[in-house]
Structures are given as structure tokens and as C-alpha cells.
Amino acid sequence: MKLDTITRRGALKTGLKLGLATGATFGGLPAFAQAREVVEMTKGDADAPVTVIEYVSFTCPHCAQFHNEVYPKVRENFIETGKVKFVMREVYFDRYGLWAGMLARCGGGLRYFGILDLIFADQSAWLGDREPATVINNLYGLGRQAGMTNEDMEACLQDADWAKALVEEYQKNAEADNVTGTPSFVVNGEKVGNMGYAGFAEMLNSKLES
């Protein structure tokens, strides 16, 4: 999926439009949102010999394919065995991808990757007809599956300052790593493209042997 940068002003409008579309009111914010800190979402041994950074868009079909078909094998054979530290960095092509990213982070680090599984399991279903109200309602349904309340999600998703912080973090990282599409990967500092499991495993093994 080709990169089309969302602006900071657009991010602010996104947060406000989401609140209007749900008819919700601003409430108390969770501590991590109040701090406006964008936490790096990682899985695996922090001291693993190989670090994989994935740049991912939640509305990108190729990202969904990688997450559903390739990532589970990478997780089983490389992450859970202590060989790879996996870092997930979000890319926001549109407001729906931003909303999905905010929802995933609403549950904190412990729920993040589980919510990602739900988001990618049936990407076309929650995007639906791509009308804002449809997307919001479907995302809320995913959040409830993950154990969050509507109040939890409203507090996160309506925080325009937090949306701005997420977009700024994405822009900074994407520029530093010259990200032009998704999914993109940086493996021990080397940028690599999307590939199937066999190619990905071969590349990881070559890094482990070097």
C-alpha cells in the first residue's frame, strides 16, 4: 500500500469527527493517554539478536495478509524462541487506520497484539461500507471483544492531542526509515520489503548466522 501522509491538522479533525459521529462526550482519560506518551509496542526478548520493525497500516490488505499468514509462523519460530524482538510501528494512511491504531492502544501493551489479531482477522468486515459511523461501530465491537467498555474506548478515541502525538511519532519514524509503503520492515537496521514466510525465515536465519 502506497504511503499518503495524513497531516497533523487532519489528525486533530479526525479525533473531533469521531466524537461527533458517536454522539459521545469527553470523559476521563486513562493515565497513558493523559501522558501523551507514544509507547513502542514490542513482542519478544528485549535482548534478542535480531530486531524486526514492521511498519503497518490497519487498512492495508497486504498488511492483513502478512499478519494472518506470515506473522503467526514468525511469532512461533522466531519471536517465542527468543531469536527475534518484533516492533510494531503504525502508519496512518487515513482516519480509519488512525482510529484502529488508537483502539489497539486503548487496551495498553498487554492487549495490543491481541486486538491487532482481531483487526486483521477480518479487515473487510470492520471497514464495511467505509462510512464513518459503520467503521466506528465495528471498531467498538472489536474493542468489546477485547474486554473494553464503550467508556474506555470513547476516552481514548476522542483525545485529539493523543491522535496528534501518534501521527507525529509515525511521521518521525517513517521519515527516519524512508518508509514509502506498507508493510515495510527494518531488520537489524536494513530495510526489506514484504515477502512470504519462506523468504522471511531465510532472511531472519541469515541475520542470525551473521
Side-chain angles (χ1 to χ4, degrees), residues 104-117 143 146-149 152:
R105 289 172 173 274
C106 260
L110 293 177
R111 286 177 174 167
Y112 179 82
F113 283 92
I115 295 174
L116 256 60
D117 290 342
M148 289 186 286
T149 66
D152 292 334

Side-chain angles (χ1 to χ4, degrees), residues 96-167:
Y96 300 153
L98 176 60
W99 295 352
M102 293 175 77
L103 176 80
R105 289 172 173 274
C106 260
L110 293 177
R111 286 177 174 167
Y112 179 82
F113 283 92
I115 295 174
L116 256 60
D117 290 342
L118 295 175
I119 288 172
F120 283 128
D122 198 347
Q123 186 185 67
S124 60
W126 66 265
L127 283 170
D129 58 9
R130 292 184 178 263
E131 289 296 321
T134 301
V135 173
I136 293 162
N137 287 332
N138 289 341
L139 285 174
Y140 270 38
L142 297 181
R144 285 191 291 270
Q145 287 185 52
M148 289 186 286
T149 66
N150 286 356
E151 290 75 15
D152 292 334
M153 291 180 279
E154 287 165 5
C156 292
L157 289 166
Q158 293 178 46
D159 186 354
D161 287 338
W162 190 40
K164 179 174 180 287
L166 287 171
V167 171

